[in-house]
Each structure stands twice: as structure tokens, then as C-alpha cells.
Amino acid sequence: VAPSENGCCGRAVCNSFIRTVTTSFGSICFGSLIVAFLRALETLAQMARANDDGGIGACIAQCILSCLASMVEYFNKWAYIYVGVYGFGYLEAGKNVFELFKNRGWEAIIADDLVGNALLLVSLIVGGIMGALAIVFTKTTSWFDSAGGNDVGAAFAIGFVVGLAVCSILLSTVASGVNTVIVMFADAPADLQQNHPDISQKMRRIWGEIYPGSV
């Protein structure tokens, strides 16, 4: 994307957003439906295990379903990029993006992706800060008087959960942006070099140092 088309309201971003919420919306729903279905089955297996109805079979089923759901969520993370950028169908998008990484020899690179861990740490820190602010509110207001003697713990828990949830949702856009840059860098390195030469050269240099022969 040319520098003149950058920004949250740039032509490329707007086109991808429109495509995502219109013609490609079904692909996104399909991927989410698969995860929801697997998580529902996992919950049923967990309930059966808790009630001692399924024995070892319920435990094995829960483990398998949990692994499958995690694999589909990981698959979705990359497939949705091709869905939004190119308008491919769900299965075609996932196949193309993983074939791209395989042809580039980047399987190890995406496996070593630490962006999610870094953003989770930020979310935890924000949650802790919000919990601390909630404790301050217990000392200066009467909002948590109904909690009895455990007002500090209740305030911290509420503040932590709210801060963690809101921050995680906001930072998910950052994670998606990073994943998109990785995919586009693998898919069209010449375009990145042409439109953003400084970023392209820096990425090539750093990636070449960490993963020799990957670029």
C-alpha cells in the first residue's frame, strides 16, 4: 500500500473492512462457528467428567476437543488475514496462507511468534493497575460498602477483570495488524520494498540475523 493510502481510513483498510463485513462475512462466521461448536462439545465433556458420567472417555474427549479448538483458533488467526485482504473463502484462505509460509520456510517463524505473549503481559499489567485504582475507590467512595469486610478484594477483582478484558479487546487489533504485516511481508516483499523501503530493509536485516536464509 502506498504511503499516501496509509492510516485507519486509507483505501486499502476501508476496502478490506467493507469486504470483511459483506462478501466475506460468511467465511468469518464459518470459522467462528467451528470454534464455538468444538468449545460447546468440550464443555459437555467437562460436565460429564464432573458428574462422573463418562469416566476416562470424557477426560480423553475433553482433551481432544480442547486441542482441536485451539488448532482451529490458530488456523483462523492466519486464515482471516487472507479472507479480509483478498476475499478468499475460509478454507481456501487457510490453505493459501499456510502454503505461503511453507514455501517460504517460515513455519518456525510463525511458531516463535511472541506478540501474543507480549500483549497478554500488557493486558495483565493494565488489569493490575485498574485493580489498584478500584482499591483506591474503596477508600474514597462508598461504592463497595455492600461487599462487607471483603470490599478491597471484590474491588480489585472487578477492576482487574474489567481492565484485562477491555485491554485485551483493544490490543487484539494490534496483534491482528502484526500478523497481517507478517503475511504481507511473505506474500509481497517487493511491494513492501517499493512503498515502504525503510521498514522493508529493517525487517529484512533483523529477520536475516535471527532466521538466516528466511528472506
Side-chain angles (χ1 to χ4, degrees):
V1 180
S4 59
E5 299 175 356
N6 279 342
C8 62
C9 296
R11 183 171 61 88
V13 175
C14 290
N15 289 344
S16 295
F17 175 77
I18 293 172
R19 185 184 302 111
T20 300
V21 298
T22 53
T23 56
S24 296
F25 193 62
S27 298
I28 296 174
C29 292
F30 180 62
S32 301
L33 177 63
I34 296 175
V35 174
F37 179 72
L38 291 173
R39 291 299 184 191
L41 292 179
E42 179 188 357
T43 301
L44 292 176
Q46 184 179 5
M47 293 172 60
R49 181 185 174 191
N51 295 330
D52 294 330
D53 291 339
I56 189 65
C59 180
I60 295 175
Q62 180 185 354
C63 180
I64 293 175
L65 290 169
S66 177
C67 292
L68 287 175
S70 298
M71 291 171 61
V72 174
E73 288 174 346
Y74 183 79
F75 181 85
N76 288 351
K77 179 176 73 171
W78 300 104
Y80 284 164
I81 296 173
Y82 259 38
V83 170
V85 174
Y86 295 119
F88 289 154
Y90 173 73
L91 296 178
E92 183 184 6
K95 177 183 177 182
N96 288 342
V97 73
F98 279 100
E99 282 228 347
L100 172 66
F101 288 141
K102 181 179 180 180
N103 293 335
R104 289 278 184 180
W106 283 17
E107 295 97 330
I109 294 179
I110 61 174
D112 290 341
D113 181 20
L114 299 178
V115 174
N117 295 336
L119 296 181
L120 175 61
L121 179 60
V122 173
S123 298
L124 291 174
I125 293 173
V126 172
I129 294 174
M130 292 300 296
L133 290 176
I135 293 176
V136 173
F137 277 114
T138 63
K139 306 299 182 182
T140 57
T141 67
S142 59
W143 292 359
F144 297 92
D145 289 349
S146 60
N150 198 27
D151 56 340
V152 173
F156 180 83
I158 294 174
F160 179 81
V161 171
V162 171
L164 177 65
V166 173
C167 188
S168 297
I169 293 172
L170 294 176
L171 290 182
S172 65
T173 59
V174 178
S176 299
V178 172
N179 293 335
T180 303
V181 170
I182 293 175
V183 172
M184 294 298 98
F185 182 47
D187 190 38
D191 293 340
L192 181 64
Q193 175 65 30
Q194 178 181 356
N195 295 312
H196 306 277
D198 295 337
I199 296 176
S200 176
Q201 292 173 8
K202 187 174 181 179
M203 290 181 67
R204 289 172 181 272
R205 177 175 57 81
I206 295 176
W207 283 40
E209 293 175 356
I210 300 176
Y211 303 100
S214 61
V215 292

